[in-house]
Amino acid sequence: MTGAKKKKKSMLWGKMHTPQCEDIIQWCRKRLPILDWAPHYNLKENLLPDTVSGIMLAVQQVTQGLAFAVLSSVHPVFGLYGSLFPAIIYAIFGMGRHVATGTFALTSLISANAVERIVPQNIQNLTTQSNTSVLGLSDFEMQRIHVAVAVSFLGGVIQVAMFVLQLGSATFVVTEPVISAMTTGAATHVVTSQVKYLLGMKMPYISGPLGFFYIYAYVFENIKSVRLEALLLSLLSIVVLVLVKELNEQFKKKIKVVLPVDLVLIIAASFACYCTNMENTYGLEVVGRIPQGIPSPRAPPMNILSAVITEAFGVALVGYVASLALAQGSAKKFKYSIDDNQEFLAHGLSNIVSSFFFCIPSAAAMGRTAGLYSTGAKTQVACLISCIFVLIVIYAIGPLLYWLPMCVLASIIVVGLKGMLIQFRDLKKYWNVDKIDWGIWVSTYVFTICFAANVGLLFGVVCTIAIVIGRFPRAMTLSIKNMKEMEFKVKTEMDSENLQQVKIISINNPLVFLNAKKFYADLMNIIQKENACNQPLDDTSKCEQNTLLNSLSNGNCNEGVSQSCPNEKCSLILDCSGFTFFDYSGVSMLVEVYMDCKGRSVDVLLAHCTASLIKAMTYYGNLDSEKPIFFESVSAAISHIHSNKNLSKLSDHSEV
């Protein structure tokens, strides 16, 4: 008996641990998304728009790479490497088809704290001035990049560890107001860091708590040291950039290819600086020597990892949250899905692998991603094409950038942050939808400004969770109730073959960021669950239990809902009397449900809505103004369906 048990157990163990070929292929497709979309790439339809987008993206990658490397307190050439390798790694492992990974302002700021703390500027004179074997750079420059590389490597390790622990599912606690406030505050920090270049001032590195205010205090105290030539050139560059980009946006439907104003400005400014010798004549600071080529890979220094743990956690969390928000926005816009945990792996490997090639910390940037949208990119091929042009710059064009004025480069960066800075307009939206979210936005922004992006992010998350915990006990429904789903079918006078299917759903719980995704997933499950084509015409009513909002866990959105039978007309009535309170994420998901159902020819009607819910939904989404959506009661919504569809007989009556 014992031998038989052991044999049976060994057989079961063998079945459990013997991977099949199909399992390996499925795992590879899941962890290497490029294997999923690359074989189906349509060269005829996608190659041209991806090529145009790749060229435009390369211009942004080069300019931002140079500027963000300076922002990270390392030599500008390392920003070019940071625009190349992370983009390649993310194209292989990332799921965002329109996400442009590379150097990032927020992670560069965090990295600069470690660089300036461990290798401060005042020790430059104490180090040897001899050039190293790496690109002919000084020992001081190599010491600095080693610190930045250590931050990138350890930050990537933390992100991969979070992938192993499957912490991507916990990112729902980082709500949209928190991300918006954190990125806006960080963009304000970046603009502040560029002030010294815009004004042509010499300024010591200032960081730490309230460093934002100390920088402007220093500027006003030394206002006489502003170089008028740099200020005028900065203003001219900003005016030209803003004007041309607005014209490009205005006429993008009429012109096939937008004017690459960044590239034109770089060429014009570099040529003018070279011809007039602005560096010596007017004292303008220029980019300087850009070494050619890519050095041999080298392992990051392990002896300083313990000294950069704080910055590594900041890079891992801030970079991931900002990148995930862009990936989710891209997926929502172009109707595909992403895996939050897979994004941890993609960005983690981007930082780890790139750290062996002297790259500063990387993440996705809003300006570059928006550029892919506007130029019509289709896939990550656009990013791979941009890498080809970045390689050309590294090996051929780089030395010509010596004469590029830093004030012009700073102007390009400031204008490129427009998308993040105009998020101030979100304040009006949050005020009209949920004033508590408005307060969270303001407080998160203030903490980001006063301290740092990672501190602001942490405060926003803690504040959001604390407020929700405080609001739940005051809800009208003290216990969580299951949702009842009822449906009935009726014949129409016009065509006895058609069925009018009406689902009435009542939810007796708040709708907030904690359960918004599960709300959507459960609701879509209900819509696809019953196929009326398989039901007899005399079916009357069905009442079943569903676990909507039964647990405050983060569900996975199920897309690709099956289509209804073509002869069936569907209506969905949501009884909103149970929405005792809601936040911005809840309203956003409710509007998304409405728009998604509308696209599937399912009419959505809302009953028992409070005035605040009606106001929030009307303000947030472009709801159909021709058809009434909000009703005082469920019976009023049913009467509306009855009058619109000429219903002659109700086969059953349901009560919520």
Side-chain angles (χ1 to χ4, degrees):
M1 188 71 178
T2 307
K5 284 185 177 181
K6 286 183 178 180
K7 186 176 181 180
K8 185 177 180 181
K9 188 175 181 181
S10 62
M11 290 175 63
L12 290 172
W13 184 262
K15 289 182 179 180
M16 290 175 61
H17 288 78
T18 303
Q20 302 295 325
C21 182
E22 294 181 358
D23 296 334
I24 297 175
I25 294 175
Q26 185 177 2
W27 184 89
C28 290
R29 289 171 65 91
K30 184 178 181 181
R31 295 306 170 207
L32 297 170
I34 192 173
L35 298 179
D36 191 29
W37 59 264
H40 309 289
Y41 186 77
N42 192 324
L43 287 172
K44 186 176 180 180
E45 294 183 3
N46 297 338
L47 184 59
L48 180 60
D50 279 344
T51 301
V52 174
S53 299
I55 295 172
M56 302 299 294
L57 176 61
V59 176
Q60 288 182 299
Q61 289 277 35
V62 170
T63 55
Q64 292 184 2
L66 295 172
F68 293 157
V70 175
L71 186 62
S72 192
S73 298
V74 298
H75 193 278
V77 71
F78 298 116
L80 296 179
Y81 306 151
S83 300
L84 174 65
F85 293 102
I88 296 174
I89 301 301
Y90 183 84
I92 298 172
F93 293 94
M95 300 187 71
R97 300 173 193 170
H98 301 79
V99 174
T101 303
T103 55
F104 187 42
L106 278 66
T107 54
S108 295
L109 276 175
I110 297 173
S111 174
N113 292 333
V115 172
E116 294 288 348
R117 187 183 74 250
I118 298 175
V119 189
Q121 186 71 33
N122 55 19
I123 72 166
Q124 182 174 7
N125 297 329
L126 302 179
T127 58
T128 59
Q129 298 298 316
S130 61
N131 293 338
T132 63
S133 59
V134 181
L135 301 173
L137 297 175
S138 66
D139 292 334
F140 175 75
E141 293 289 355
M142 294 309 301
Q143 289 176 20
R144 288 201 149 197
I145 189 57
H146 284 157
V147 176
V149 161
V151 174
S152 178
F153 175 79
L154 188 55
V157 170
I158 293 171
Q159 288 174 329
V160 172
M162 290 179 174
F163 160 76
V164 174
L165 297 174
Q166 298 290 291
L167 295 182
S169 58
T171 55
F172 70 95
V173 299
V174 187
T175 60
E176 184 177 333
V178 173
I179 296 175
S180 174
M182 184 269 291
T183 53
T184 306
T188 310
H189 272 297
V190 175
V191 172
T192 302
S193 68
Q194 299 299 306
V195 166
K196 62 180 180 180
Y197 300 116
L198 295 172
L199 301 179
M201 296 179 62
K202 297 292 184 180
M203 183 186 302
Y205 180 79
I206 301 174
S207 65
L210 304 180
F212 173 85
F213 303 100
Y214 291 135
I215 290 175
Y216 285 104
Y218 182 91
V219 170
F220 286 112
E221 289 176 0
N222 299 271
I223 197 69
K224 293 182 179 180
S225 63
V226 173
R227 291 189 179 274
L228 186 60
E229 297 83 3
L231 177 59
L232 292 176
L233 188 55
S234 300
L235 291 175
L236 179 62
S237 300
I238 291 174
V239 169
V240 170
L241 287 168
V242 172
L243 182 61
V244 176
K245 289 190 175 185
E246 286 297 324
L247 291 175
N248 282 339
E249 188 68 23
Q250 192 77 17
F251 299 101
K252 66 180 181 180
K253 294 182 179 179
K254 298 181 180 179
I255 55 178
K256 294 183 178 180
V257 180
V258 297
L259 177 65
V261 60
D262 294 358
L263 178 62
V264 173
L265 183 62
I266 289 173
I267 295 174
S270 300
F271 182 74
C273 184
Y274 172 77
C275 293
T276 59
N277 196 16
M278 291 184 183
E279 182 183 15
N280 299 320
T281 306
Y282 302 108
L284 288 184
E285 186 176 357
V286 296
V287 170
R289 174 180 171 269
I290 303 293
Q292 287 180 294
I294 299 175
S296 301
R298 181 180 298 182
M302 301 297 171
N303 58 327
I304 60 173
L305 292 182
S306 59
V308 298
I309 291 179
T310 304
E311 288 79 11
F313 266 103
V315 164
L317 296 178
V318 173
Y320 172 76
V321 168
S323 302
L324 181 64
L326 293 174
Q328 289 175 338
S330 170
K332 184 177 179 180
K333 183 179 180 69
F334 296 99
K335 307 298 181 183
Y336 60 89
S337 61
I338 63 168
D339 182 355
D340 295 353
N341 283 306
Q342 180 65 23
E343 291 298 292
F344 258 133
L345 176 64
H347 289 288
L349 292 178
S350 294
N351 279 312
I352 292 175
V353 176
S354 301
S355 66
F356 286 81
F357 295 91
F358 301 95
C359 295
I360 60 178
S362 64
M366 180 181 292
R368 297 194 298 266
T369 302
L372 289 179
Y373 291 168
S374 61
T375 52
K378 302 297 182 181
T379 64
Q380 278 289 326
V381 171
C383 297
L384 295 176
I385 291 175
S386 74
C387 293
I388 297 175
F389 289 94
V390 172
L391 269 176
I392 294 174
V393 172
I394 292 174
Y395 278 96
I397 305 176
L400 300 179
L401 297 173
Y402 178 98
W403 299 100
L404 177 61
M406 288 299 299
C407 60
V408 174
L409 191 59
S411 301
I412 294 174
I413 298 306
V414 170
V415 175
L417 292 170
K418 174 189 172 185
M420 298 171 72
L421 293 173
I422 62 175
Q423 291 180 128
F424 279 110
R425 297 187 301 189
D426 293 346
L427 282 172
K428 182 180 179 182
K429 177 174 62 177
Y430 296 130
W431 179 265
N432 285 280
V433 174
D434 184 17
K435 292 178 174 58
I436 292 181
D437 277 338
W438 180 89
I440 292 174
W441 196 103
V442 173
S443 57
T444 302
Y445 177 80
V446 170
F447 264 75
T448 303
I449 287 296
C450 293
F451 300 99
N454 50 347
V455 177
L457 177 64
L458 180 62
F459 171 82
V461 171
V462 172
C463 187
T464 302
I465 296 175
I467 288 175
V468 171
I469 292 174
R471 292 173 79 182
F472 260 100
R474 298 202 307 271
M476 293 176 62
T477 51
L478 298 179
S479 61
I480 299 175
K481 298 180 180 179
N482 289 335
M483 181 203 70
K484 294 181 179 180
E485 178 206 336
M486 287 151 283
E487 65 174 273
F488 55 88
K489 300 172 183 176
V490 292
K491 296 180 180 179
T492 63
E493 289 181 347
M494 302 299 295
D495 188 353
S496 60
E497 296 300 324
N498 283 357
L499 289 175
Q500 172 66 27
Q501 181 183 4
V502 180
K503 292 178 181 289
I504 306 175
I505 299 175
S506 176
I507 308 105
N508 295 300
N509 285 283
L511 185 61
V512 294
F513 72 95
L514 290 171
N515 52 17
K517 286 188 177 181
K518 183 156 176 41
F519 167 80
Y520 180 88
D522 288 344
L523 203 55
M524 292 300 105
N525 281 335
I526 292 172
I527 294 174
Q528 70 176 344
K529 196 172 184 180
E530 297 293 339
N531 190 343
C533 295
N534 299 326
Q535 299 294 331
L537 298 182
D538 58 351
D539 276 4
T540 55
S541 66
K542 182 184 291 185
C543 184
E544 62 182 82
Q545 299 294 321
N546 188 283
T547 57
L548 176 64
L549 310 188
N550 196 33
S551 63
L552 299 178
S553 62
N554 180 28
N556 293 323
C557 295
N558 293 328
E559 299 188 6
V561 177
S562 60
Q563 297 295 327
S564 300
C565 181
N567 290 330
E568 180 181 323
K569 299 178 182 178
C570 299
S571 294
L572 176 65
I573 300 177
L574 292 180
D575 182 3
C576 300
S577 58
F579 287 148
T580 50
F581 67 86
F582 52 86
D583 64 0
Y584 180 84
S585 299
V587 173
S588 173
M589 193 59 69
L590 201 57
V591 173
E592 185 175 344
V593 165
Y594 172 81
M595 300 303 293
D596 202 3
C597 290
K598 182 181 176 182
R600 294 181 170 91
S601 300
V602 177
D603 294 330
V604 178
L605 297 85
L606 287 82
H608 294 120
C609 296
T610 61
S612 59
L613 180 60
I614 295 174
K615 178 182 177 182
M617 288 190 64
T618 304
Y619 184 85
Y620 179 88
N622 297 321
L623 304 181
D624 194 345
S625 58
E626 297 179 358
K627 298 180 181 179
I629 301 169
F630 305 102
F631 297 88
E632 294 182 356
S633 62
V634 174
S635 58
I638 295 175
S639 299
H640 172 74
I641 297 174
H642 180 88
S643 60
N644 274 11
K645 302 295 183 181
N646 297 318
L647 299 180
S648 61
K649 183 180 179 181
L650 294 177
S651 58
D652 197 8
H653 295 276
S654 299
E655 181 178 349
V656 179

